[in-house]
Amino acid sequence: MPRLAHFRAKREASMLRLDTTPILHVDMDAFFVSVELLERPELRGQPVVVGGQPNRRGVVSAASYEARRYGIHSAMPLRTAGKLCPHAIFLDGRHDLYAEWSDRMATILSRFSPVVEMASIDEAYLDLSGTGRLHGPPLAAAHALLTEIGAQTGLPCSAGLARTRLVAKVGSDQAKPRGLVWVPAGAEAKFLEPLSVRRIPGIGRVTEAALRAMGIETVGQLAGIPEERLQEFFGRWGTALYRKAHGEDSYEFIVDAEPKSISHSHTFGSDTSHRPALESMLSCLCQKGAQRLRDACLDACTVTLRIRYAGFRTVTRSKTLSEPTHLDPVLLATLRRLFERHWEQRPVRLIGIEFGRLSHGVNQMGLFDPEWREKLERLARATDQLRDRFGFAKVQFGGSLGCAKDH
Amino acid sequence: MEFTVKKYDLLAELNLTQGVVERKTTIPILSHLLCEAKGNRVTLTATDLELSIRTSCEAKIKKEGAGTIPAKKLLELVRLLPEAEIRFRLLENHWVQITSDRRNYKMVGMAKDNFPAIPAFPHPLVKIPAGILSSLIARTAFAISMEESRYTLNGAQLTLKPDMIAMVATDGHRLALAETDHSFAGLSNETRPLVPKKAMTEIQRLAGEAGENGQIEFARDDSHLFFQVESRLLISRILTGQFPNYEAVLPRDNNKKIVLERNEFNDAVRRVSQLADQRSHALKFSVGQEGVELSASSPEYGEATENIDQEYGGEPITIGFNGQYLLDFLAAAPDGPISVELKDEQSAGQFRPLADDQYRYRYIIMPMRI
């Protein structure tokens, strides 16, 4: 799993603006449906809806392109979808399965760039700058990446390649299904101009209605409105709108994306009750989580251990730390104690960790910090630097040796 | 219980109890005052189990006795009443009747026996001038940790020796220490209790009432601290636990020294902090031949740089500090020159107001990694 939040912590908005290196937005097409179709290929070409049965409460999580032709879309009540297309195939969601495939996709993405931000379970941003010698120019890399995902997973996906995250995202949306849209630097305005304002991420029904009242329907029209005027109408949101209309990332877009928790899990190929294997995996997951904490300049205050046994019973146990930290040994010691106390000595299917109650505070040094803390800080910084260059598995604590693969 | 009392006599004491009464308590009786009429005085007691206050005022007692009254409602009502005598009378079912001229109120009380017992004042240990105690608290209380997990840091350590008194508070990132010489007649041993933050606020209130030359009688038992000013007694539970060994972290060889005027320094930090990161409050503090450069930046709002001219002959140094920590100190420090003493970017910085030598006031901040 690549490192969430890496992007926002290490790249400032101003750098994104000046950097002409393209940003790639990868978005899986009808992700949940596509995953289901892998297991049930006989449903291909039929209207498929994931989320639950149409006679029950709930909303559509994903709909195949065939189902979308009947007007079905995500977040629509299942009953409504059932009325629109009674002969559609309705499937219950299996989120663990989707998460597993999402991890696989993330693994492939991280081969193409060290800077990957998983924006959600089925989409990610990559910064391809500096990867030229490995993967060729960004467009070639993007093509190779899409081919690779197709070959490795059989899942369809689309991508947008552009100077900014916003244009890349709009691009991947336009590219669907199974497409790649490249918006060269300088061509953003022309690309965005004819699109409806709703295509811009962050513009929903409310803003759309407000804009329509001003006689604005396309991004081109929006881009023609002076910033001051938008500010007058929308306040700070107006500034963001202005930037979005010009294809720039708005600050709000980046700042809002702060993670609330960081989690990692591993599903064993076959269930295991081998203690060393479990402890080793725990160490590996902890190190990955700790590194993501540091990348995002965050400290965690709660540590959670998740164990799923064969037969799917899942146990979740948390512990609150006396003070927030991002240091591997402190976090791991807590996880080990949780594991020691709560593992039922039975075969485990999945083991996972989560760091929660995140706060910024990494940089404040303490008066009564023992000497070992500063040493661990230096160790962590050195480790992170090495991993940035050579990959996660190249430097690790002994406890996870043989466990951490390079992903 | 039946008595009459003058409005302002009562109001002054009621005001003192308000800081102690719990607003959000799960134990109903703790939102009440215990009201006891005896001799020619009426005594009011409030407690949150950690901190208690007992105070009294003159009253004409018609019938001795005791009852409880909802504290907040009583204060609000008494505030609104005209300046005149107020009559209190205990009714059946713990109700209390309150009368002022032809105005009539009845408040729902609770059984007085349910009111927690308050420890009695033991043998007084020593008298502390109210002004000194108040000054020590003002210089240190802000550095107390608000994090509940660091329990022993939720208060300050008061040190009393036969010839000096000191108070030190820390939240683990910064530390404020003030001490002054004073000879305490009758004190033979050293005592170092931990005073909870809430108690410190109330001690200051009490000290304020005692006036410049007032004296606070101090006593302690195994688990309580007692502060008495005339008829007013504040009782605080002592925080348990080990206060960190702060003497070990006091800087000794901070040899990069520069002196800044408090007001100039304070204004600059306040302005630059406007554009500091909203979460970390990080400021960059660079000392060079020209003086000090303060700078900060926030990805959301922008950046700031200010220079304070001052001669400096030492080695240049750049160090990061939490701007809020600086402001807390500068608000507590008296006007005049402040000596800033640094060692390197990873060691604690020390700040001393040179005009405040009576209190040998020192403030120590650990830097931020920048």
Side-chain angles (χ1 to χ4, degrees), chain A residues 322 362-365 367 374, chain B residues 149 172 279 366-369:
Chain A
S322 62
V362 175
N363 297 320
Q364 176 64 53
M365 295 158 73
L367 273 167
E374 192 51 38
Chain B
S149 58
R279 289 197 190 86
M366 275 307 274
M368 302 180 79
R369 294 180 195 91

Side-chain angles (χ1 to χ4, degrees), chain A residues 236 251 255 258 321-324 360 362-368 374 377-378 381, chain B residues 149-150 170 172-175 244 246 249 279 301 322 325 346 364 366-369:
Chain A
R236 255 185 97 174
Y251 295 127
V255 171
E258 189 122 277
L321 303 170
S322 62
E323 59 183 324
H360 286 258
V362 175
N363 297 320
Q364 176 64 53
M365 295 158 73
L367 273 167
F368 307 104
E374 192 51 38
E377 292 285 353
R378 288 205 297 271
R381 275 196 297 272
Chain B
S149 58
R150 315 192 72 173
T170 178
H173 299 143
R174 33 90 180 255
L175 179 146
Y246 70 90
V249 302
R279 289 197 190 86
Y301 296 111
N322 180 323
Y325 291 177
Q346 275 147 46
I364 288 124
M366 275 307 274
M368 302 180 79
R369 294 180 195 91

Side-chain angles (χ1 to χ4, degrees), chain A residues 95-396:
Chain A
H95 284 266
D96 293 324
L97 183 67
Y98 310 147
E100 266 175 44
W101 282 98
S102 175
D103 277 355
R104 270 173 227 177
M105 165 185 149
T107 309
I108 299 169
L109 296 181
S110 63
R111 273 183 227 146
F112 284 84
S113 166
V115 186
V116 178
E117 177 189 332
M118 290 299 291
S120 72
I121 193 166
D122 64 348
E123 58 176 319
Y125 291 95
L126 281 79
D127 185 350
L128 294 175
S129 39
T131 65
R133 292 182 63 177
L134 274 173
H135 304 290
L139 192 55
H143 178 70
L145 187 149
L146 292 186
T147 316
E148 182 85 0
I149 290 182
Q152 296 258 339
T153 66
L155 294 170
C157 69
S158 304
L161 185 64
R163 185 172 57 83
T164 62
R165 288 156 55 105
L166 179 114
V167 179
K169 178 153 170 90
V170 176
S172 72
D173 191 38
Q174 293 297 304
K176 280 175 178 300
R178 289 174 185 276
L180 169 63
V181 162
W182 175 43
V183 184
E188 291 90 357
K190 208 168 167 200
F191 167 67
L192 293 173
E193 226 170 51
L195 301 176
S196 148
V197 289
R198 271 301 278 279
R199 298 267 70 85
I200 302 286
I203 298 190
R205 221 177 296 155
V206 177
T207 309
E208 185 192 24
L211 288 172
R212 188 175 297 129
M214 296 166 71
I216 298 166
E217 295 197 343
T218 68
V219 183
Q221 288 170 323
L222 181 59
I225 310 290
E227 187 173 355
E228 298 74 36
R229 183 116 190 275
L230 287 172
Q231 270 178 0
E232 230 169 84
F233 272 87
F234 296 100
R236 255 185 97 174
W237 174 227
T239 317
L241 272 181
Y242 179 84
R243 297 181 57 81
K244 283 169 189 281
H246 290 82
E248 301 295 340
D249 293 319
S250 55
Y251 295 127
E252 156 266 335
F253 188 54
I254 292 168
V255 171
D256 273 2
E258 189 122 277
K260 298 211 167 41
S261 69
I262 283 175
S263 60
H264 279 281
S265 63
H266 178 82
T267 307
F268 291 99
S270 55
D271 301 347
T272 178
S273 51
H274 186 49
R275 177 187 290 266
L278 290 167
E279 287 191 336
S280 166
M281 184 48 73
L282 200 59
S283 166
C284 169
L285 296 172
C286 177
Q287 290 176 55
K288 286 181 177 174
Q291 185 178 3
R292 276 172 59 197
L293 282 175
R294 295 190 294 265
D295 282 345
C297 297
L298 291 169
D299 280 355
C301 203
T302 60
V303 173
T304 303
L305 171 71
R306 186 168 289 127
I307 301 174
R308 176 168 305 148
Y309 295 103
F312 272 84
R313 199 174 84 83
T314 308
V315 177
T316 305
R317 293 289 177 269
S318 300
K319 172 98 181 114
T320 300
L321 303 170
S322 62
E323 59 183 324
T325 187
H326 56 257
L327 292 174
D328 313 64
V330 182
L331 294 162
L332 184 58
T334 310
L335 282 168
R336 281 229 174 96
R337 274 199 298 279
L338 285 170
F339 179 77
E340 204 56 47
R341 189 169 314 158
H342 299 291
W343 179 44
E344 297 163 8
Q345 317 268 339
R346 293 198 288 125
V348 172
R349 175 186 160 82
L350 171 147
I351 191 163
I353 57 125
E354 184 176 313
F355 299 145
R357 278 182 54 199
L358 306 181
S359 60
H360 286 258
V362 175
N363 297 320
Q364 176 64 53
M365 295 158 73
L367 273 167
F368 307 104
D369 285 352
E371 212 169 296
W372 54 260
R373 180 157 318 183
E374 192 51 38
K375 281 187 181 163
L376 286 179
E377 292 285 353
R378 288 205 297 271
L379 177 66
R381 275 196 297 272
T383 311
D384 291 347
Q385 278 169 14
L386 286 168
R387 284 176 179 167
D388 270 355
R389 286 187 64 184
F390 301 114
F392 176 82
K394 290 293 182 289
V395 194
Q396 52 186 304

